[in-house]
Amino acid sequence: MATTTPVHPVDEVPPARQLAAFGLQHVLAMYAGAVAVPLIVGGAMKLSPADLAYLITADLLVCGMATLVQCVGIWRFGVRLPIMQGCTFAAVSPMVLIGTTGGGLPAIYGSVIVAGLAIVLLAPVFGRLLRFFPPLVTGTVILVIGVSLLPVAGNWAAGGAGSADFGEPENIALAAFVLAVVLGVQRFAPAFLSRIAALIGIVVGLAVAVPFGFADFDGVADADWVGISTPFHFGAPVFEASAIVSMLVVALVSMTETTGDFIAVGEMTGRKVDPCSLSDGLRADGLSTVLGGVFNTFPYTAYAQNVGLVGMTRVRSRWVVATAGGILVLLGLLPKLGAVVAAVPAPVLGGAGLVMFGTVAASGLRTLAEVDFEDNHNLTVVAVSVAMGVLPVGVPTVYEKFPDWFQTVMNSGISAGCVTAIVLNLLFNHLPRSGGPSAGSPRAKTPGLAAGGVEDGVEKPREEVV
């Protein structure tokens, strides 16, 4: 009898109704972050309501296109994992600075295009660095990603940063109710429903929020039915050296964060990221960023918010996230539909976000469980890396006296923690040191331990490490 080759869970295509439900769940998880960037940048530049509306719809459209490229893949573009794409927050401060003191929007988009091209060219270089991400580093980075995202969920639960009713007890109560619904569905509901626990929690929370006046649907009536994004909407790009340098720093930060997200999703889905797929994924990031410059939006990166959803639901199909990309394209073309999604209250998203982002941190701890912490400096690597990653999250103004390029790198907890973990792993586990074990000793063969010159768990694929 003929045997069929088993399909990896990443490549499985769920039934249509499940695709729609799972995909919508991913959209709701990232929507608030996706629209926050155009609102911040547009507000800082004092754009008109019409221009702000264009920024949001164009951003959603390119988010969807970028997600489709990343999940489905086109030639050597796309990691082909369940990765959601969105505009990076690392670019917000540089873009506001360029737009308000430099050449305005044309200078922003000129620098974004150059940054995207640079990411495409640098992708193979980053691919070769994958051997410097053993479980010691990957577990630490995944843990930092989860911990650094928790304040986002906390702000949502309190009503949304900057809201007039921030921290009101009723906001916290609504978030706690949604959290209870999500946990209840995960514990007691059938398997399929437990996988869309976040979506159910958001829907039930919205149903409760409407009669109590939490949801505001006024923007739905004002939104247009159809919106078409056109290239160079704000004029031809301008290429200024200072703006380009700032955005190139952002590109490096974005590539570092994306590498961490790819590795995290690879761990969760059972399809480890190799140097080739990492290069393909980063190349797709670069292409998406170029499209962002052309359509006058922003640089794009893998969204860590959705990494937690993959781990929480255990739905590993990349076609689910590709469906979410299709939904984002529709939201970009139909502004009224996007306004409906935008009406979901922040506390509702916060209740679900606490579970999703906490799942990312827990996944990092699970990866770190593979690391040997006996008679070595691995605990120090994890401790200092987590501290450096959490520092800008807990004290956002800690680096405000430093140069702009330094702030761009270190104000992101993810990039700060990732860079620290890589550097400390090289220091303790790669550089030769006197009195270390010989290359043939048992300790030298243990992944994550300091050896006489290299770390076996770094230099070899994990499958070859015993």
Side-chain angles (χ1 to χ4, degrees), residues 154-351:
N155 280 323
W156 287 348
S163 62
D165 61 346
F166 185 85
E168 291 291 340
E170 53 265 30
N171 290 336
I172 307 297
L174 178 58
F177 171 73
V178 172
L179 175 61
V181 172
V182 172
L183 295 176
V185 171
Q186 279 197 308
R187 175 63 182 85
F188 299 107
F192 167 69
L193 292 180
S194 68
R195 290 175 178 173
I196 56 171
L199 176 61
I200 293 175
I202 290 172
V203 171
V204 173
L206 181 60
V208 171
V210 170
F212 285 96
F214 282 93
D216 181 9
F217 291 97
D218 292 342
V220 178
D222 298 333
D224 296 328
W225 281 103
V226 179
I228 304 297
S229 301
T230 55
F232 306 119
H233 177 82
F234 293 107
V238 174
F239 301 96
E240 293 189 356
S242 59
I244 290 172
V245 170
S246 298
M247 207 55 65
L248 287 177
V249 175
V250 171
L252 293 174
V253 173
S254 176
M255 294 176 78
T256 304
E257 293 181 351
T258 298
T259 299
D261 292 333
F262 285 170
I263 292 172
V265 174
E267 294 276 351
M268 292 176 180
T269 59
R271 175 175 283 179
K272 301 295 191 296
V273 176
D274 56 36
C276 182
S277 59
L278 174 59
S279 299
D280 292 347
L282 292 174
R283 210 175 276 118
D285 262 14
L287 175 62
S288 305
T289 300
V290 172
L291 288 176
V294 171
F295 284 94
N296 291 170
T297 59
F298 311 100
Y300 289 88
T301 186
Y303 247 34
Q305 284 92 321
N306 296 82
V307 174
L309 193 55
V310 173
M312 180 187 124
T313 63
R314 301 181 299 280
V315 177
R316 296 178 280 178
S317 172
R318 60 190 171 107
W319 298 104
V320 165
V321 181
T323 301
I327 294 173
L328 284 175
V329 170
L330 282 177
L331 295 178
L333 296 174
L334 303 173
K336 194 172 287 290
L337 190 59
V340 173
V341 177
V344 177
V348 173
L349 296 175

Side-chain angles (χ1 to χ4, degrees), residues 21-87:
F22 293 148
L24 180 59
Q25 191 170 229
H26 273 280
V27 170
L28 292 174
M30 61 83 66
Y31 191 90
V35 300
V37 174
L39 288 174
I40 294 171
V41 176
M45 299 201 57
K46 297 180 170 45
L47 298 182
S48 66
D51 286 340
L52 272 177
Y54 172 84
L55 276 183
I56 293 173
T57 55
D59 177 43
L60 294 175
L61 176 64
V62 179
C63 277
M65 295 165 60
T67 300
L68 287 169
V69 172
Q70 197 68 270
C71 296
V72 177
I74 301 173
W75 187 53
R76 295 301 304 277
F77 292 84
V79 71
R80 293 168 174 83
L81 284 173
I83 294 288
M84 200 82 178
Q85 295 286 104
C87 40

